[in-house]
Amino acid sequence: MDRAMVRFIRYRLLRAGITLLLFQTLLFLMLQAMPGDFVSTLIGLPPPLRRGLRAVMGLNDPLWQQYLRWMRDFFTGHLGTTFRFPHQSVGRILWSLAPRTLFLFLPASVLSIGLGYGLGRYLGGRRRPWDGASLTLTGGAIVAATSFPPWVAFLLVQIFALRLGWFPAENVLRTSRWVGVAVPADTVILWLLGTGALMAGSFYLLGHVTRWHQRRTCLRRVGAIALIGGAVLAWYLSGWGLLALDLLWHLALPLTTVVLLSFGEPMLLMRLATLQVADEDFVRAARAKGLPPQVVRDRHMARLALVPVLARFLIQLPFVMLGSLVVELAFFWKGIGRELLIAIDAHDVPVVMGIFSVVGTLMLLAHVLLDVLHAWLDPRVRTAIAPGMQR
């Protein structure tokens, strides 16, 4: 790593640290400016008891003391103590809700990007970008992206849950299946997420290893069957296979809802980016060499057009922690988004601040990662920093 890159990383981390302090300060002041407090939401308490509760919770402390206490709790990872459940930290609450939120919205984000990338690449590589198929897919993506989320959830529940009975209408699991089971549901969820990540990495490695082989298509199919069969066998031997199937069965409708609402934006972005690079010199040179249209689209146009789509994905990824409040309420999915609504209604400020702080910090880290990757790929970026940093 050259000196310019090291200077850029230091400069970007310094800016990120200052931004984080400003963000936490503004978040604290904005939430403190909200009318009322947690004690005011408790009905029927006599005034002396209200004053005592405010004193115990530190609501009567000077603003600067509350601010220093909050900054201490944030940088130690404790994130304060919730008002609704004394002696329970906000960090522990978020840690307990994170598996179910990630179980729904992380695969949904990956599938949305994958579906949007595939459809956008297909539409952008067509010779006639405004034919019937392109208009149909584009119109469907726009309708799905702009649809009212409760209506989409209600429609899927009515058709596939209530009328056809293929999937459950609500909740994360079936209670009767988990009676007497020693393993917690969150543990199985984490293992499912780990299995998905391991499978994705294995598929990528398989494609990378076999890309120069003459029979790469056959090898990839055999390898994919072996990987899937190995994963199914491992879950069967673990004794958690039926538990995992129950969780995936309940995941089907919420996951479909989120994907339908989310794939349109990356599809349109990928299509536009592909059309923009269609007339570049390197694309024309590839066509002049006589390469098949599919090879020109996949190896030349789509790779460059993928950059803004991946940037958008990295920026939106931290919001996975917030989930989707509407989807969680529609399917009674107990995640962080539902907890945020309950905390706002109850004026549980530590929980609200903790959730927004975690999401804001992850978003800031995503921006730093994008800037570092951009500087690593383009030397002009890392040399265009402040003049004092270039010495």
Side-chain angles (χ1 to χ4, degrees), residues 42 74 119 126 171 201 250 254 266 279:
L42 303 178
F74 171 74
L119 293 176
R126 294 176 65 87
N171 212 338
H250 284 78
D279 295 328

Side-chain angles (χ1 to χ4, degrees), residues 119-132:
L119 293 176
R121 182 186 63 179
Y122 168 75
L123 295 178
R126 294 176 65 87
R127 295 183 180 274
R128 294 178 297 174
W130 294 109
D131 58 359

Side-chain angles (χ1 to χ4, degrees), residues 219-232:
L219 290 176
R220 289 174 182 177
R221 290 177 180 176
V222 173
I225 294 174
L227 288 173
I228 295 175
V232 173

Side-chain angles (χ1 to χ4, degrees), residues 223-268:
I225 294 174
L227 288 173
I228 295 175
V232 173
L233 180 62
W235 276 98
Y236 174 78
L237 295 177
S238 69
W240 295 355
L242 295 178
L243 302 178
L245 287 177
D246 181 63
L247 292 171
L248 294 174
W249 187 44
H250 284 78
L251 179 68
L253 284 184
L255 181 69
T256 304
T257 303
V258 179
V259 171
L260 286 176
L261 295 170
S262 306
F263 84 95
E265 182 181 358
M267 190 201 82
L268 296 176

Side-chain angles (χ1 to χ4, degrees), residues 11 22 38 97 103 110 124 127 148 165-166 176 187 328 331 364:
Y11 174 70
L22 293 176
F38 175 76
L97 295 175
F103 183 54
V110 174
R127 295 183 180 274
F148 191 45
W166 292 353
S176 59
T187 301
E328 291 186 4
F331 291 98
L364 181 61

